[in-house]
Every structure is written in structure tokens, then in C-alpha cells.
């Protein structure tokens, strides 16, 4: 069983930056693929970014490429999402997700993940 807890959300002006953190429990963190998803009001949850268990592979949804960076620190059992050049359309609840991964690959579909945090609100004002 893995528990994940997000932090770092808040209110920021357009063009600003935030760094989200996702702290995970468990000694086997390095065997888990990790992802970030978001859900805006009235919209379905969407994939944002994912990172393989080693951190060697990452993937992003097109709308955040070049602005967001996902990273992980296996020693600290934490994954991060650095968000730069934020836009009002980035406003959403951001969720961290985890799944045991047999291979060092990225997972971009929500249905692939087993464990989810409760989310952190990100609001970008124009």
C-alpha cells in the first residue's frame, strides 16, 4: 500500500510559477511509476506529466510541454512538478498518482494508476 500526499498548490498570477510536491510513503518508492493529473471544474480529469521509476523517462501533455517539468527524488520518496509560465487554463485540482512498475516506463493513462492523493488546488489569475 502506498499513500501519496500533494502540496504546493495556491493562487498565482498568469506568468508565475509554482512547484507541486508529492510525498509518498513506503520503502519501495523507487519501484513506482508516478504521474500528475488535473481536473478543472466541469471537465474530465486529464493527464499532465509522468515519470518512470528511475526518473530516466518523462512524458507530458502537449499543452504543458516546455513549461512544466516533472522530477523525482527517490531518496526523499518525493515527486515534483515545476510549473512555469502558468496560464489561467492551468487552473485545476492537481492529483498525484502512483503505480508499481515492473519496467522503467512512463504511464500516461489514469486507469493505469493504483494510488491517488486527494489533490491540491492551483488557481491562476489573469
Amino acid at each position: 500500500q502506498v499513500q501519496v500526499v500533494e502540496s504546493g498548490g495556491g493562487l498565482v498570477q498568469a506568468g508565475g510559477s509554482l512547484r507541486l510536491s508529492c510525498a509518498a510513503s513506503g520503502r519501495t518508492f523507487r519501484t513506482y511509476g508516478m504521474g500528475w493529473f488535473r481536473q478543472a471544474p466541469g471537465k474530465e480529469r486529464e493527464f499532465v506529466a509522468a515519470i518512470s521509476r528511475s526518473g530516466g523517462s518523462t512524458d507530458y501533455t502537449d499543452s504543458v510541454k516546455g513549461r512544466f517539468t516533472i522530477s523525482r527524488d527517490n531518496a526523499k520518496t518525493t515527486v515534483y512538478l515545476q510549473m512555469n509560465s502558468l496560464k489561467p487554463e492551468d487552473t485545476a485540482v492537481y492529483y498525484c498518482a502512483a503505480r508499481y512498475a515492473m519496467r522503467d516506463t512512463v504511464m500516461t493513462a489514469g486507469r493505469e494508476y493504483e494510488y491517488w492523493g486527494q489533490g491540491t488546488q492551483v488557481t491562476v489569475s489573469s
Side-chain angles (χ1 to χ4, degrees):
Q1 187 82 13
V2 174
Q3 292 184 323
V4 293
V5 180
E6 306 95 336
S7 62
L11 173 64
V12 63
Q13 289 187 332
S17 298
L18 283 174
R19 188 176 81 157
L20 305 183
S21 298
C22 172
S25 65
R27 296 176 295 174
T28 57
F29 178 77
R30 63 181 67 249
T31 66
Y32 280 74
M34 303 294 294
W36 286 98
F37 293 77
R38 66 186 180 187
Q39 187 167 20
K43 295 187 177 180
E44 293 187 351
R45 182 183 64 197
E46 66 170 346
F47 166 73
V48 176
I51 190 165
S52 64
R53 59 190 224 176
S54 73
S57 298
T58 59
D59 198 4
Y60 301 88
T61 192
D62 286 346
S63 63
V64 308
K65 285 180 180 177
R67 300 189 298 122
F68 290 11
T69 302
I70 188 171
S71 62
R72 66 189 294 160
D73 184 334
N74 284 347
K76 295 182 178 179
T77 66
T78 300
V79 63
Y80 305 98
L81 186 67
Q82 178 66 45
M83 306 186 295
N84 298 328
S85 302
L86 282 161
K87 304 175 181 180
E89 51 264 44
D90 295 317
T91 295
V93 177
Y94 283 70
Y95 297 92
C96 177
R99 179 192 169 92
Y100 170 72
M102 291 184 67
R103 296 182 296 173
D104 194 31
T105 57
V106 292
M107 295 171 283
T108 62
R111 64 181 181 274
E112 297 182 276
Y113 287 89
E114 300 172 274
Y115 306 104
W116 294 81
Q118 62 258 54
T120 186
Q121 176 70 47
V122 172
T123 303
V124 184
S125 63
S126 57

